[in-house]
Amino acid sequence: MQRLIIPLLAALSAAAPAAAAGAAQPACATGQAAAPALARLRTALAHGRFVTYQPTALTVSDGRIRSADAASIRADLSVLRPRFDSLVTYDAIHGAEEIPAIAAALRFRALIIGVWDPLDEAELQAAGDAVRSHPDLVVGLSLGNELLFAGRSDPGALGALIARLHKQLPQAPLSVSEPFHIYYRETATPLLRKLDFLLANVHPVFQPWFRDADDGASAQFVANVVDKLAAVHCGPILVKETGVPTAPASAGYNEARQASFYQLLREWLPATGGHAFAYFAAFDAPWRAYDALAAPGAPPGVHPEEAHWGLYDAGREPKQAARELPPLTSPPSPP
């Protein structure tokens, strides 16, 4: 294992030479209106358990979206609630408008609302309505998912949007979600100064060494990335996406490896008020194998692993990683 970890550390150091060294102080937003929500976020990071969630009833095929219904969302969240008390979503419409009220009724602790298309005023309005309607539940907004990495936006445009939303929703902590190396770029520094917290996608499975490495090396890789991110951003850090798919077996994926990775990640990256990780994802999504946006930067074609990130299968049955998670013992008090 040590032979693997040493190259990993060297690779991480080489990945961000200028950003970490060039910043005298870690960057982040300094507005005070969002401080109460940020305090709740820090409490959730330290004492809660996050999972990323897309409704099982939501599907995308050839660009056509089938929205989720409230009954299915309630069924999803009822399955998750014994083991998870904090959620990160990807969309604020297409049925996701129902999530905040259902999550509040089920006594979830925290919700970070994803806004898939930050240029969609209807989606921004839905997210803002949720912030105002559930101030004790919503601890942040995530604007887009890998927009910079996929070339669908740029730091200047996102920075302008965040400045506008800070005025419209001053009580809401704001972030964007990108692969970790995007935040190391010098061009990202002005954007980092506007973010209240950091959401990073850190996927060992996409590193060239992953298949032959052991799970301890992968877990340490994630922890090392978080240390480096803390050097460039002073707000709370949530690793929004990390994990191991459970199929296809031909690529080296299975339930045992997923469970092992998470067990070791809990040891390498114990939760604090400053950082934690979300389990990615709640449920398998078979349609994602055929969705070009599911794997930005990947070559065209079918990507079967994208269908199998869940800790639960598409029928809501727990996989090994979920079964090994002890139930949460004391749910937070209702708002």
Side-chain angles (χ1 to χ4, degrees):
M1 176 175 172
Q2 189 171 12
R3 286 181 297 153
L4 288 168
I5 291 175
I6 290 173
L8 294 185
L9 293 170
L12 277 172
S13 297
Q25 296 291 333
C28 67
T30 57
Q32 294 303 306
L38 273 177
R40 293 195 302 275
L41 173 58
R42 288 185 181 276
T43 298
L45 293 179
H47 303 293
R49 191 183 288 158
F50 277 88
V51 66
T52 65
Y53 170 63
Q54 279 187 310
T56 56
L58 183 144
T59 61
V60 181
S61 177
D62 295 327
R64 296 188 299 273
I65 301 173
R66 175 190 170 192
S67 296
D69 60 280
S72 178
I73 290 171
R74 179 174 289 274
D76 290 344
L77 296 187
S78 296
V79 166
L80 294 178
R81 186 59 186 85
R83 294 184 175 94
F84 300 96
D85 62 5
S86 302
L87 301 169
V88 186
T89 66
Y90 287 84
D91 193 358
I93 52 177
H94 304 115
E97 305 94 328
E98 306 286 349
I99 293 174
I102 295 171
L106 293 174
R107 300 174 69 186
F108 276 81
R109 179 194 296 270
L111 170 63
I112 297 173
I113 295 177
V115 178
W116 181 261
D117 182 1
L119 299 180
D120 184 336
E121 291 298 327
E123 188 171 4
L124 286 175
Q125 181 64 47
D129 290 346
V131 169
R132 288 182 282 266
S133 299
H134 299 278
D136 294 323
L137 174 67
V138 179
V139 294
L141 299 183
S142 172
L143 302 173
N145 186 65
E146 301 191 341
L147 294 180
L148 299 179
F149 178 60
R152 300 197 301 274
S153 188
D154 60 76
L158 281 178
L161 174 64
I162 288 168
R164 174 190 139 198
L165 291 179
H166 269 141
K167 293 179 180 178
Q168 294 177 346
L169 292 168
Q171 73 274 40
L174 303 179
S175 190
V176 299
S177 176
E178 295 290 338
F180 66 94
H181 65 274
I182 298 294
Y183 301 118
Y184 296 160
R185 296 174 178 173
E186 290 186 16
T187 54
T189 301
L191 178 61
L192 290 173
R193 295 194 183 106
K194 294 181 173 67
L195 302 181
D196 298 291
F197 65 106
L198 208 58
L199 291 170
N201 296 342
V202 189
H203 283 297
V205 301
F206 299 144
Q207 300 300 314
W209 44 261
F210 170 78
R211 182 156 185 166
D212 296 322
D214 63 32
D215 299 325
S218 296
Q220 187 179 17
F221 175 79
V222 179
N224 290 344
V225 167
V226 171
D227 285 343
K228 284 197 169 289
L229 291 174
V232 299
H233 195 267
C234 69
I237 298 169
L238 178 64
V239 177
K240 189 186 89 172
E241 291 187 9
T242 192
V244 177
T246 56
S250 59
Y253 303 138
N254 54 61
E255 287 193 25
R257 189 164 193 187
Q258 182 190 63
S260 171
F261 169 77
Y262 280 124
Q263 187 271 323
L264 289 163
L265 187 58
R266 289 191 290 270
E267 297 176 12
W268 278 104
L269 191 64
T272 72
H275 64 248
F277 69 89
Y279 291 80
F280 172 76
F283 299 102
D284 282 351
W287 60 269
R288 284 176 56 88
Y290 308 94
D291 176 29
L293 294 180
V302 177
H303 298 278
E305 69 282 355
E306 290 295 329
H308 299 285
W309 288 100
L311 274 75
Y312 297 76
D313 65 22
R316 306 192 183 102
E317 291 298 319
K319 301 179 187 178
Q320 181 179 338
R323 295 193 302 269
E324 291 181 358
L325 275 177
L328 297 172
T329 55
S330 54
S333 300

